[in-house]
Amino acid sequence: MNLKNKVALVTGGSKGIGFGVAQSLLNQGIHVAITSRSRAAASEAADLLNAKNNTEAKAIGLQSDVRDLESQKNAVNQVLKSFGSLDVVVANAGIGHFASIEDLTSEQWQETIDTNLTGAFYTIKASVDALKASKGYYITISSLAGTNFFANGSAYNASKFGVTGFTQAVMLDLRKYGIKVSTIMPGSVSTHFNGNEPSDSDAWKIQSEDIGELVVDLLKMHPRTLPSKIEVRPTTPPSK
C-alpha cells in the first residue's frame, strides 16, 4: 500500500495504544481520524497529534461510542465526508474489569464485552463498504489475554479470546474483496490502561509507538502476504 494521503480511522485513539498508532500513521503521511466517547478528549488529542506532525497529513477527532452501531456509522460517514475515502480501520477501543467471578458484576461483564468485542464487530460493520471500495485494511487490537487465560480475567479473557477468533473469521470473509484483516495481540504495554500511570518503571514494557510501528509494517507488507495474527511481547520482562 502506498501510504501517503491514505485515510485511517482509529477507535479509542485519544490515548494509549490508539494514540501511538495514530501518531505512527501520521508520520507516514496518512490522514487519521481518532475517536473517543469524549468529544473534548478526541479534539485535544487530534490537536496534539497535529502539533507533533511534520507531514502534510491531518488528524481529526470524533466523538463516537464503539458500543453503538449508529455512532460508529456516523464516525465513518464523517471520515468519508472529511477525506473522501477510508483505507485503514484500527479497532483499538477497549477497557478492562478484573475481579474474581465471585465479585465481577454483571454490569462490568457487559461493559467489557460490549466495548472490546461488540465494539470490534460494530467497527467493521460500519466500515466494510468503505473498505471494499478502497481494498483496505482492518486491524483489531486484541491481547495475549486472547490466548492466555488468568485468574480474575474472566470478562477480559472472554472479550479478547472473542476478538481474536472474530478477527480471524472476518479475515476469511473479506479477503475475497481484497481487504486485508489482521489482529495484533500485545502483552504488557505502557499505557494508562486499568488505572496504570506510565513511568520510568514501565520502560521494560512495549510502548504504544511500538504498536504503531507494527501497524505501519503491516500496511507496507506486499499485497500477496498477510500476517493475520501477530503476538508481540516485551523482550525482557522483570524476573518474578
Side-chain angles (χ1 to χ4, degrees):
M1 183 182 289
N2 181 6
L3 302 185
K4 189 174 181 181
N5 291 322
K6 295 296 185 182
V7 179
L9 171 64
V10 181
T11 67
S14 65
K15 59 185 177 180
I17 290 175
F19 187 90
V21 169
Q23 193 165 33
S24 294
L25 295 176
L26 278 171
N27 289 341
Q28 296 295 319
I30 300 174
H31 301 293
V32 181
I34 58 171
T35 71
S36 171
R37 282 184 284 180
S38 165
R39 186 183 304 277
S43 296
E44 290 171 8
D47 289 344
L48 182 58
L49 287 167
N50 286 320
K52 291 183 174 183
N53 180 34
N54 293 320
T55 72
E56 295 180 359
K58 178 183 178 183
I60 60 172
L62 304 173
Q63 182 181 25
S64 182
D65 188 340
V66 296
R67 300 172 298 177
D68 182 271
L69 178 57
E70 290 305 313
S71 182
Q72 283 297 88
K73 288 180 178 178
N74 288 338
V76 170
N77 288 336
Q78 289 181 70
V79 172
L80 295 175
K81 183 177 179 180
S82 296
F83 298 115
S85 63
L86 180 57
D87 305 283
V88 181
V89 175
V90 182
N92 163 75
I95 62 166
H97 290 296
F98 302 96
S100 165
I101 192 61
E102 298 170 285
D103 302 317
L104 186 76
T105 68
S106 58
E107 291 80 12
Q108 289 172 325
W109 168 270
Q110 200 64 56
E111 185 180 24
T112 305
I113 299 299
D114 287 350
T115 303
N116 297 357
L117 180 53
T118 305
F121 167 69
Y122 285 162
T123 299
I124 188 60
K125 287 295 286 185
S127 60
V128 66
D129 288 340
L131 291 179
K132 283 182 182 179
S134 65
K135 296 187 183 300
Y137 211 135
Y138 176 61
I139 298 170
T140 63
I141 305 299
S142 185
S143 170
L144 289 183
T147 192
N148 302 313
F149 53 84
F150 53 88
N152 298 324
S154 58
Y156 192 69
N157 282 144
S159 70
K160 291 301 187 178
F161 269 71
V163 169
T164 301
F166 165 78
T167 310
Q168 297 296 280
V170 170
M171 178 267 295
L172 297 177
D173 288 341
L174 297 184
R175 60 182 178 179
K176 62 188 176 185
Y177 300 111
I179 300 173
K180 292 178 119 181
V181 179
S182 299
T183 189
I184 298 174
M185 305 169 67
S188 298
V189 182
S190 177
T191 69
H192 290 88
F193 185 76
N194 198 32
N196 180 62
E197 188 63 37
S199 66
D200 290 344
S201 64
D202 290 329
W204 63 273
K205 295 180 180 179
I206 301 165
Q207 303 299 303
S208 59
E209 60 266 27
D210 300 337
I211 304 300
E213 290 179 11
L214 182 53
V215 169
V216 170
D217 288 343
L218 286 173
L219 299 182
K220 289 183 175 181
M221 187 72 63
H222 195 284
R224 65 176 171 243
T225 303
L226 176 63
S228 59
K229 183 171 67 173
I230 303 97
E231 294 188 5
V232 55
R233 47 180 49 81
T235 302
T236 313
S239 301
K240 294 184 178 179

